[in-house]
Amino acid sequence: MILLIFAGLAVFGFAVPLGAAVSTSRTQQLWFSRYVDAEWFAKLASHAMATGDRQYLDAELQRYLRLYGERVLVVDAGGVVYANTGVDADDPEMVGILAEARSNRYSTRPPQRLLTWDPETMLIARPIGVGMDLEGAVLVEASARRAQQDIADRWSLIAVAAWTSLALCTGLALVLSRWILRPLGRLSRAVGALTETLPRSDVPTPPTSMTQRYGGPPEIRDLAESFDTMAQTVSDSVESQRQLVADTAHAIRNPLAALSIRLEALHAVIPAKAEKSFRRASSQVDRLAAILDGLLRLAVAETPDGFNPVHAEVDWPSRCNLGKILVEQVEAWEAAYERAGMSLSANTLPKSVVVAAPEDAMVQILDVVLSNSCRYAGEGARTWVSGWAEPEWATISVFDNGVGVAEDEIDKLATRFFRGRSALPGGSGLGLPIAAALAQRYQGRLTVTAAIPHGLHVAIRLPMAR
């Protein structure tokens, strides 16, 4: 529709001025030709009035009437008819035009344009004489029928060309619009089909109408509505999965707690030869509880905070002072590093460094990274914690010169349940995945790379608070 509107405006914007130009040109052509004839008759009339011989003037008037079928009226300075080939000399319009011509006040400019519904005659007057020495006036009653017919024919040709062009533009617009909108239609149907395959939430949510909030072509509105529906379904699915993890964790936690209590109660009656098996069973229960807690934290970390498909911008949930948290966490872990035979040092960040993430999330991320470094870097290793701020981002770097990990395992450290060959027993393989998910949840990123010459480097990059 938009293409058709622009095509129509372009075609008619060209056709209308062209039609007006054709009418003006034909009108001027008729007027100038008859005005030249009026000048010729004025010269003949002036000579006849001066010599008294009007024979040649009358002959020319009759020949002009036979040739063009147009009548001519000649009057003297007093307005008395001097020669006439059929003009109604008593017509008030004729009298007025001749009076203006005799007083040299008649306009010598052609009319703007002749239209097909105008009168079929055009009156053209010319004074006889020059300056103040006027001897009379000549009036030519020109026929405008042929000029009007020429104008009508050219207008018809322009109209046919305009409608033909509009029809071609319409066909081209239909082909072009179908070519443009065909992928949108396929994408909308594909999104709808994908939405149907997604799991639905048990809690009904009211449908969101994109067409009431946005304008535009119907195909674009349909696609927007499909995406909005899919986003709402994905949001419901994410919430359902989070709720499933929470319910599962709650359902399993109670039996695990009961099993742990029963194992503790059985500890006193376990024979010596079964002590080793009992301790392994107890450690497996503890490890299962740790994995369960890690899965729950990971599910919460991977859930988008305040997810809403209607809003186009991220509504930052909270903020925290990164420099303050960095100092507190380093102080909290210094004792653990000393017991492990390692050293921990950090630089300080200004208090103005505020990131768009809640304090508990930052504490959890730093706990995971510092805990891994303290546990796996090895005795005698040193860990440096540094931070710096940019106009839009803040970065925390945790670098140690410990034993590091194998080169082929670095990219897998943030994978769920992955444990490297040098990993100590008792871990769940969910620490770094939780930290990475928390950083990503707040539009940040956690990366793990090898340190040079040996060790590990973990960088956490988060957006500055607005």
Side-chain angles (χ1 to χ4, degrees):
M1 181 59 70
I2 296 176
L3 294 177
L4 292 180
I5 292 175
F6 280 112
L9 291 176
V11 169
F12 288 104
F14 177 77
V16 172
L18 181 60
V22 166
S23 176
T24 301
S25 175
R26 187 64 180 88
T27 302
Q28 292 177 351
Q29 180 184 358
L30 174 63
W31 189 89
F32 278 117
S33 65
R34 298 303 182 263
Y35 190 80
V36 170
D37 294 341
E39 284 187 337
W40 167 247
F41 288 126
K43 291 179 180 180
L44 295 181
S46 176
H47 180 269
M49 291 178 181
T51 61
D53 182 10
R54 51 182 297 172
Q55 182 178 359
Y56 186 66
L57 173 64
D58 292 337
E60 287 296 315
L61 291 176
Q62 293 299 324
R63 188 175 66 86
Y64 189 80
L65 178 63
R66 291 192 303 269
L67 182 62
Y68 295 106
E70 298 176 356
R71 296 167 292 190
V72 180
L73 174 63
V74 181
V75 297
D76 57 15
V80 179
V81 175
Y82 186 77
N84 190 359
T85 58
V87 178
D88 185 4
D90 297 329
D91 188 346
E93 184 179 5
M94 309 292 182
V95 174
I97 292 175
L98 289 171
E100 291 181 358
R102 287 187 289 110
S103 60
N104 206 12
R105 291 185 293 108
Y106 185 75
S107 175
T108 58
R109 292 179 299 177
Q112 185 175 5
R113 66 177 59 92
L114 185 64
L115 303 177
T116 56
W117 51 84
D118 287 341
E120 295 182 353
T121 57
M122 179 183 293
L123 302 179
I124 302 171
R126 172 70 168 81
I128 300 173
V130 294
M132 299 300 295
D133 188 16
L134 299 179
E135 305 173 43
V138 176
L139 184 142
V140 177
E141 192 178 45
S143 174
R145 186 180 306 170
R146 183 174 179 181
Q148 289 174 327
Q149 184 61 43
D150 292 342
I151 292 173
D153 294 341
R154 295 177 185 178
W155 280 3
S156 300
L157 183 61
I158 293 173
V160 171
W163 284 108
T164 303
S165 301
L166 186 59
L168 293 176
C169 291
T170 302
L172 181 61
L174 290 176
V175 173
L176 184 62
S177 61
R178 289 179 180 177
W179 177 70
I180 294 175
L181 297 177
R182 188 180 296 114
L184 293 180
R186 292 178 180 175
L187 180 59
S188 181
R189 291 190 295 270
V191 170
L194 177 61
T195 304
E196 293 297 326
T197 62
L198 294 174
R200 299 280 182 169
S201 174
D202 295 335
V203 180
T205 56
T208 305
S209 176
M210 296 288 289
T211 56
Q212 295 181 2
R213 295 198 308 272
Y214 300 102
E219 295 82 4
I220 303 298
R221 295 200 302 267
D222 292 341
L223 180 61
E225 185 176 0
S226 298
F227 268 99
D228 188 56
T229 303
M230 183 183 67
Q232 184 64 52
T233 304
V234 170
S235 176
D236 295 342
S237 177
V238 170
E239 179 61 25
S240 298
Q241 293 180 11
R242 190 196 65 80
Q243 188 63 38
L244 175 63
V245 172
D247 294 342
T248 303
H250 179 73
I252 297 177
R253 188 186 301 274
N254 291 336
L256 277 178
L259 180 59
S260 179
I261 293 173
R262 289 180 181 275
L263 288 175
E264 290 293 334
L266 290 174
H267 184 267
V269 296
I270 291 296
K273 62 180 181 179
E275 181 72 20
K276 186 176 182 180
S277 298
F278 175 79
R279 289 180 179 178
R280 288 179 178 177
S282 297
S283 64
Q284 291 298 322
V285 170
D286 294 338
R287 184 171 182 272
L288 185 58
I291 292 175
L292 188 62
D293 292 338
L295 284 174
L296 185 58
R297 289 195 297 269
L298 182 61
V300 174
E302 290 181 341
T303 302
D305 190 26
F307 181 81
N308 191 343
V310 176
H311 298 294
E313 296 184 356
V314 176
D315 185 14
W316 299 111
S318 56
R319 57 179 63 193
C320 66
N321 190 313
L322 186 59
K324 173 177 173 293
I325 294 175
L326 192 60
V327 172
E328 292 177 352
Q329 288 302 108
V330 170
E331 292 177 353
W333 278 93
E334 281 181 348
Y337 273 78
E338 290 179 1
R339 288 194 299 269
M342 301 169 59
S343 62
L344 176 64
S345 60
N347 70 340
T348 57
L349 283 174
K351 294 183 179 180
S352 59
V353 179
V354 179
V355 294
E359 183 174 347
D360 58 345
M362 287 305 308
V363 170
Q364 190 172 356
I365 292 173
L366 288 173
D367 276 340
V368 168
V369 177
L370 293 175
S371 174
N372 283 357
S373 176
C374 180
R375 189 171 184 179
Y376 299 110
E379 187 176 358
R382 184 177 181 183
T383 300
W384 295 270
V385 181
S386 60
W388 61 90
E390 303 172 20
E392 299 290 336
W393 299 90
T395 304
I396 299 175
S397 176
V398 180
F399 169 84
D400 68 67
N401 61 352
V403 297
V405 297
E407 185 177 353
D408 59 339
E409 295 180 349
I410 291 179
D411 294 337
K412 304 176 183 179
L413 292 179
T415 306
R416 300 178 185 181
F417 303 110
F418 176 78
R419 293 176 58 77
R421 293 187 292 271
S422 60
L424 299 177
S428 62
L430 292 174
L432 280 178
I434 292 174
L438 283 172
Q440 186 176 3
R441 178 180 182 181
Y442 298 104
Q443 314 301 317
R445 185 181 180 187
L446 183 144
T447 57
V448 184
T449 56
I452 298 176
H454 53 80
L456 209 62
H457 177 217
V458 180
I460 303 106
R461 182 178 173 88
L462 291 166
M464 300 285 286
R466 295 180 181 178

